Amino acid sequence: MGAVTSTFIAGVEAVKRGLGLPIGSLTQMGTVRLGKRTEGRTPKIKDFVPLAPLECLSFGGWDIYEDNGYEAAVRANVLERPILDQLKEPLSAIKPMKAVFDQEYVKRINGPNVKTESNKMAMAEALMQDIQDFKTRNNCNRLVMIWCGSTEVFRRPAEVHQSLALFEEGLRKNDPAIAPSQIYAYAALRLRVPFANGAPNLTTDTPALQELARQNEVAICGKDFKTGQTYMKTLLAPGFKARMLGVRGWFSTNILGNRDGEVLEDPGSFKSKEETKLSVLEQILQPDLYPDLYKDLYHAVRINYYPPRGDSKEGWDNIDIFGWLGYPMQIKIDFLCRDSILAAPLVLDLVLFLDLAQRSGMKGIQEWLSFYFKGPMTAPGLYPEHDIFIQLMKLKNTLRWMQGEDLITHLGLEYYD
């Protein structure tokens, strides 16, 4: 219920009331071309596939703090008070449920609104009761869960993550390798609720939870919303590779003052974030295929907590590239972005697309939603596609496939026959 969630909920409520536009949301503002360019068929995505309308959305969440949706949005200080005050009634009605929390996984914050069940299975069962109560209370017939919580400390899969049976035994035995985000995901998947992971923690990218997703035929995707600096990398790196320009170094640093920035001051939480941020260039540039251009690339990422900046993150990049005959050049980027403003429309799209996938019988990993993530989930052994333009083509072709339209290859030879 922090900055991303409160900005998302307030934004949807504002759009419903005509107080703003859903800028940044592909589902609400994007189009999809159908057929040949000469046919002139380019409907909005929301008119092409049967997405749930915004008027049908109800919101709820868990948090270790007791602030309601309005108080959380005011505290986050992302949206200005005049617009929040117009939304005070619906936002104040959203009160956070008691959270599953473990100080070992998020070390720099703590709060009073937490569950105290005897073991992790009991906590999962309490979450399932919360979900069912929310569904009844809000008269919902379908649900989606998205993790917008803090980045947990870095963990590699343990034995408890290798099968569903081992995981459930671990829940009963309070296995310390089971993180809070995994308990939420387990509760969602048990109830056939699609789940997306917006943080870089180890969650549904484990054999145990993927087994549960397949068994219960539930859609999952993740991980780590692609918003600021990494978004810029997935725009620029494909362009360098497309023109066969070399890259010697890419140094990235960030200053961020919101709760996410505070949590990432902990080395364990930063390690989780660093892993997804660093993987992007490796996959896009493919140094094994292009050793002369990218083999010795030096890539570093830093995140610094700076409270005065609040949610207005600054991402600074220095890129050393080289061209014809190895002559050096530089690019410098200073992206003064707003973290939650960029993330909120991604949450909306994922809610609507996951609901669509679930209704369409698409179970397990939804690789077509890689467009939204720094560390996209894929089938075991399959490398993730990070090029944002390929990701968008895959997403739109999936929508065409759903609706029985021809997939678009952009070959275009038929125009010249």
Side-chain angles (χ1 to χ4, degrees), residues 28-41:
Q28 303 305 300
M29 304 197 77
T31 62
V32 56
R33 192 191 106 201
L34 306 177
K36 296 181 179 180
R37 280 179 276 167
T38 51
E39 294 178 30
R41 292 194 296 146

Side-chain angles (χ1 to χ4, degrees), residues 117-131:
E117 275 71 13
S118 58
N119 62 47
K120 293 181 178 182
M121 180 61 87
M123 288 187 180
E125 290 167 349
L127 289 176
M128 286 186 266
Q129 188 62 54
D130 289 343
I131 294 167

Side-chain angles (χ1 to χ4, degrees), residues 7 28 70 197 262 282 294 306 310 350 359 362 376 388:
T7 303
Q28 303 305 300
Y70 174 76
N197 178 18
E262 183 176 6
E282 176 80 15
Y294 311 117
Y306 182 56
L350 286 164
R359 286 187 283 127
M362 299 171 70
I388 196 168

